[in-house]
Amino acid sequence: MRGAEVFRNDRAGAAGYAGLTVLAGNADLLRAINGKVASGRFLSADTEKFPTAVLGSAAASSLGIPKITAGRPAPQIYINRRWFTVIGTLEKTPLSPDIDRSVLVGWDAARSLLRFDGHPTVIYLKARESEIEAVRDVLPATINPELPGLVQISRPSDALAAKRATESTFSALFLGLAGVALLVGGIGVANTMVISVLERRREIGPRRALGANRGQFLTESVVLSGLGGLATAAYAAQQGWEPVIPLGSVTAGFGGAILIGMLAGVYPSLRAARLTPTEALATA
């Protein structure tokens, strides 16, 4: 509210002006800014019509009211030549630091006692992180359909921007690690199957004589890769780890394991298929 001046008491002169901002707020403001009450209570439907106030963390420190103590008379502050009872103080709000240096009063009390015109100057909106850009695109026309160009939408907080940058970096890192893991896993499956072909020549000979083809070892490599994925899932279930990966990603991962198993089993399968029955039995 423009022109609203906050003093610790009615005896403080111009030098005692706290320089704080007086804001009219609704009872659901804390939920929108992820704020928490440090002491006392927040504005509610029972108090919004009365001269009550809630102080931000910096405002409480500036006015010398660090906390509200139950059982003791509530402190009062002087706003525009009117006494307001302080019913609560807030913890720091990193997502909206302007609230820290603000004195919050009820919406109806601001209109009747502080000449508030009822038109909000700042609207705090909480949205899902994945929908922030979409919400920002429609907010101006939603808030002021006649003059959407007058609505200024602030960017997400620095904390959210840093979080997104960190998530992007970790995603790239995990993608690289996944690629290395797939490469190592494929080499391991291929090596296992090549050794299996060398060690099972006595078995391959009769099977080739009976008409077996390269599909046997290709199938074995696929099963080996699939069992590796199932073993990981079983271990996670045994440890009680809650699944946080979407089902689509799990399905894609299992499909990738099968594909790697197929690619890794191609060479061993071809090598086994080239063995004639007599050659396999002779070298066993």
Side-chain angles (χ1 to χ4, degrees):
M1 281 158 285
R2 296 179 180 178
E5 296 181 344
V6 182
F7 297 89
R8 182 63 181 89
N9 53 56
D10 58 345
R11 298 182 180 275
Y17 174 50
L20 303 175
T21 303
V22 181
L23 300 177
N26 290 326
D28 58 353
L29 175 62
L30 284 187
R31 184 162 54 90
I33 63 174
N34 287 338
K36 295 181 179 180
V37 175
S39 65
R41 56 182 176 138
F42 193 66
L43 301 171
S44 64
D46 298 331
T47 62
E48 66 178 6
K49 296 182 180 180
F50 300 99
T52 56
V54 175
L55 307 180
S57 59
S61 177
S62 177
L63 292 171
I65 307 175
K67 66 177 181 177
I68 306 300
T69 305
R72 293 185 179 181
Q76 292 185 316
I77 56 177
Y78 207 55
I79 305 177
N80 280 15
R81 299 179 182 274
R82 291 182 179 273
W83 289 104
F84 279 73
T85 301
V86 179
I87 61 174
T89 61
L90 302 179
E91 295 182 1
K92 290 184 178 181
T93 53
L95 297 182
S96 50
D98 51 325
I99 297 294
D100 292 338
R101 290 196 54 81
S102 299
V103 177
L104 304 175
V105 299
W107 196 271
D108 292 340
R111 298 185 65 175
S112 61
L113 302 176
L114 301 177
R115 295 178 295 179
F116 176 48
D117 59 7
H119 294 88
T121 56
V122 179
I123 297 177
Y124 294 95
L125 182 65
K126 190 174 183 179
R128 294 181 179 178
E129 292 185 21
S130 59
E131 304 295 334
I132 287 180
E133 286 74 15
V135 172
R136 292 183 63 182
D137 292 339
V138 301
L139 268 182
T142 303
I143 296 174
N144 192 346
E146 296 181 356
L147 297 172
L150 297 180
V151 180
Q152 296 182 356
I153 309 297
S154 63
R155 64 184 179 85
S157 66
D158 293 337
L160 180 58
K163 179 181 178 182
R164 288 198 168 187
T166 302
E167 289 178 346
S168 177
T169 302
F170 272 107
S171 296
L173 176 61
F174 287 140
L175 184 61
L177 291 176
V180 174
L182 286 176
L183 177 61
V184 173
I187 294 174
V189 171
N191 182 61
T192 300
M193 297 310 300
V194 168
I195 295 176
S196 179
V197 170
L198 295 177
E199 293 180 347
R200 296 166 59 187
R201 289 182 179 180
R202 183 182 297 275
E203 175 187 344
I204 293 173
R207 290 195 177 189
R208 290 286 292 127
L210 295 175
N213 54 27
R214 72 189 66 174
Q216 171 192 348
F217 286 92
L218 187 60
T219 301
E220 287 185 13
S221 64
V222 170
V223 172
L224 184 63
S225 298
L227 288 177
L230 293 177
T232 302
Y235 180 77
Q238 182 183 6
Q239 296 297 320
W241 295 343
E242 296 183 3
V244 294
I245 303 176
L247 181 60
S249 300
V250 175
T251 304
F254 187 76
I258 298 299
L259 179 61
I260 292 299
M262 293 178 63
L263 295 177
V266 168
Y267 174 71
S269 300
L270 292 175
R271 184 167 182 173
R274 292 193 186 102
L275 290 175
T276 62
T278 55
E279 181 183 3
L281 293 174
T283 57

